Amino acid sequence: MMLATAARNLTRRSFSTSKALAAQQLTVRDALNAALDEEMERDEKVFLLGEEVAQYDGAYKVSRGLWKKYGDKRVIDTPITEMGFAGIAVGAAMAGLRPVCEFMTFNFSMQAIDQVINSAAKTFYMSAGTVNVPIVFRGPNGAAAGVAAQHSQCFGAWYSHCPGLKVVSPYDSEDAKGLLKAAIRDPDPVVVLENEMVYGVSYPVSDQVLDKNFVLPIGKAKIMRPGKHITIVAHSKSVETAMLAANELAGKGIEAEVINLRSLRPLDSETIFKSVQKTHHLVTVEQGWPQSGMYPRIYYSGSERLTDCIGSEICARIMEHETFFHLDAPIWRVTGVDVPMPYAKTLEAAALPQVPDVVNAVNKVLGVK
């Protein structure tokens, strides 16, 4: 009798039609690996270079198996000289190839920023549209764990400030695969800001995401959770913080709409506008520093508006759009603390936005005590 009951339970479990149970799981690492593999297979002009990307399979194993499959000419180990191999990659792109240049961490991209900005980002404009630079700069960005100040900075605001670049900031496996494939196919330089802390995390994905033809559009945000009381905008791992906060708020009767930006430049203003016009309230969440955070820091030069960062642009666009008149309270920002990242674990946690910080910000904006 007990065996028969167990068999029936097992059968019911095996044939579950629940979407949550039926969804396949894919880590962000494997999503990025699949994107690289599929694009290298699709286009022989695509190649990967960077520190330890070949024989070691990448510092974070994102390029696992690619060197064995494609060989030395298309998966290239470089010396520890970011300016050198970034320059080689930019030159290759100018010559018609499609390099994917990996920085072991975007903190090290500062060594190569002249190549990224002056060579890659500006060439199409300076050549009057005659020279494309189809290159991808990718690697982990933002805070990791226990790696302190020189390995924990978020460069979303830095790179999205520069005309000539497109900047994407994926959160989950769907984002990672779709945005990296789009970046590799793009005719212009694209910066792909990944997050080390989610490389090993599995997320549910559909059959569509696993398809070789799956590509996400650059410049389009995703509504992760619909809501009617307040809008929470975030990118990268801060999306997780926003979602957890939204779950907690839902238990108190507050329905938050969570927007995953996906793309920092171009920025999907329309999705933000429509959401704020519905909810009348906005909180932004990011791990970057507040001086260049999601808040209006605007400088004027004649008639031209010069904004300081991504979040400034969000707030500035709202203030210059009819959406401003739909706000019932000031916009509130939740950011990293204005200090270099501490090494101590407790201080590191205190330096980054946490779920209670987002919940408190929402309560303040809504006037909830």
Side-chain angles (χ1 to χ4, degrees), residues 43-47 89-99 132-135:
D43 186 350
E44 63 181 12
K45 293 180 180 179
V46 178
F47 71 97
V90 172
M94 290 178 178
L97 298 179
R98 290 185 171 271
N132 286 95
V133 187
I135 185 172

Side-chain angles (χ1 to χ4, degrees), residues 7-49:
R8 283 197 300 271
N9 290 338
L10 182 60
T11 302
R12 282 200 298 269
R13 198 176 303 169
S14 299
F15 288 93
S16 171
T17 56
S18 165
K19 289 184 179 179
L21 294 176
Q24 301 176 73
Q25 298 288 317
L26 184 69
T27 66
V28 170
R29 176 183 291 109
D30 288 341
L32 293 166
N33 180 269
L36 289 167
D37 188 14
E38 290 169 11
E39 293 306 301
M40 291 179 75
E41 187 177 79
R42 174 180 174 271
D43 186 350
E44 63 181 12
K45 293 180 180 179
V46 178
F47 71 97
L48 174 67
L49 78 165

Side-chain angles (χ1 to χ4, degrees), residues 338-350:
D338 195 22
V339 295
M341 181 62 69
Y343 174 72
K345 186 175 182 179
T346 52
L347 294 178
E348 180 183 75

Side-chain angles (χ1 to χ4, degrees), residues 209-231:
V209 174
L210 297 175
D211 190 276
K212 289 186 177 183
N213 296 316
F214 176 73
V215 178
L216 288 173
I218 294 175
K220 184 64 179 173
K222 179 184 179 182
I223 297 177
M224 302 291 288
R225 176 191 179 113
K228 61 183 179 180
H229 296 126
I230 191 165
T231 300

Side-chain angles (χ1 to χ4, degrees), residues 91-369:
M94 290 178 178
L97 298 179
R98 290 185 171 271
V100 178
C101 177
E102 177 180 310
F103 295 121
M104 193 177 291
T105 161
F106 260 93
N107 295 267
F108 300 160
S109 74
M110 292 293 96
Q111 302 291 331
I113 198 166
D114 181 61
Q115 300 289 0
V116 177
I117 305 302
N118 285 325
S119 297
K122 298 177 182 177
T123 294
F124 184 71
Y125 174 83
M126 293 176 68
S127 68
T130 60
V131 180
N132 286 95
V133 187
I135 185 172
V136 173
F137 299 102
R138 56 154 295 270
N141 169 71
V147 291
Q150 293 178 331
H151 297 74
S152 301
Q153 189 172 332
C154 176
F155 289 90
W158 290 56
Y159 285 116
S160 63
H161 184 68
C162 304
L165 290 178
K166 295 173 183 174
V167 183
V168 296
S169 183
Y171 161 55
D172 57 15
S173 302
E174 178 180 322
D175 291 358
K177 185 178 181 186
L179 291 173
L180 181 54
K181 286 170 72 72
I184 293 171
R185 297 185 188 189
D186 200 275
D188 298 308
V190 183
V191 174
V192 181
L193 301 173
E194 302 157 11
N195 189 285
E196 175 187 341
M197 298 303 291
V198 298
Y199 277 155
V201 179
S202 294
Y203 294 94
V205 294
S206 65
D207 289 337
Q208 181 186 10
V209 174
L210 297 175
D211 190 276
K212 289 186 177 183
N213 296 316
F214 176 73
V215 178
L216 288 173
I218 294 175
K220 184 64 179 173
K222 179 184 179 182
I223 297 177
M224 302 291 288
R225 176 191 179 113
K228 61 183 179 180
H229 296 126
I230 191 165
T231 300
I232 305 177
V233 178
H235 70 92
S236 189
K237 197 172 186 299
S238 291
V239 175
E240 176 186 296
T241 308
M243 291 290 286
L244 291 171
N247 289 339
E248 184 173 327
L249 290 163
K252 303 174 183 177
I254 299 172
E255 293 299 328
E257 182 150 292
V258 178
I259 296 177
N260 171 10
L261 285 176
R262 283 183 168 172
S263 176
L264 306 183
R265 185 182 183 111
L267 193 66
D268 185 2
S269 301
E270 287 304 314
T271 296
I272 299 170
F273 291 161
K274 289 178 182 178
S275 179
V276 174
Q277 288 173 20
K278 177 178 66 173
T279 67
H280 309 291
H281 302 90
L282 175 61
V283 166
T284 62
V285 187
E286 62 179 327
Q287 292 190 343
W289 290 318
Q291 178 95 4
S292 293
M294 294 187 174
Y295 198 71
R297 293 183 52 82
I298 305 172
Y299 307 100
Y300 287 91
S301 176
S303 60
E304 181 182 6
R305 188 194 78 226
L306 303 175
T307 55
D308 195 37
C309 68
I310 313 157
S312 303
E313 189 66 20
I314 292 174
C315 295
R317 290 186 193 188
I318 287 177
M319 288 189 292
E320 295 172 352
H321 190 263
E322 64 173 325
T323 303
F324 175 76
F325 299 102
H326 291 261
L327 286 171
D328 288 341
I331 300 170
W332 200 277
R333 58 177 178 160
V334 181
T335 72
V337 176
D338 195 22
V339 295
M341 181 62 69
Y343 174 72
K345 186 175 182 179
T346 52
L347 294 178
E348 180 183 75
L352 292 170
Q354 305 295 334
V355 172
D357 301 323
V358 180
V359 172
N360 289 337
V362 169
N363 288 337
K364 288 180 179 180
V365 171
L366 294 179
V368 177
K369 294 182 180 180

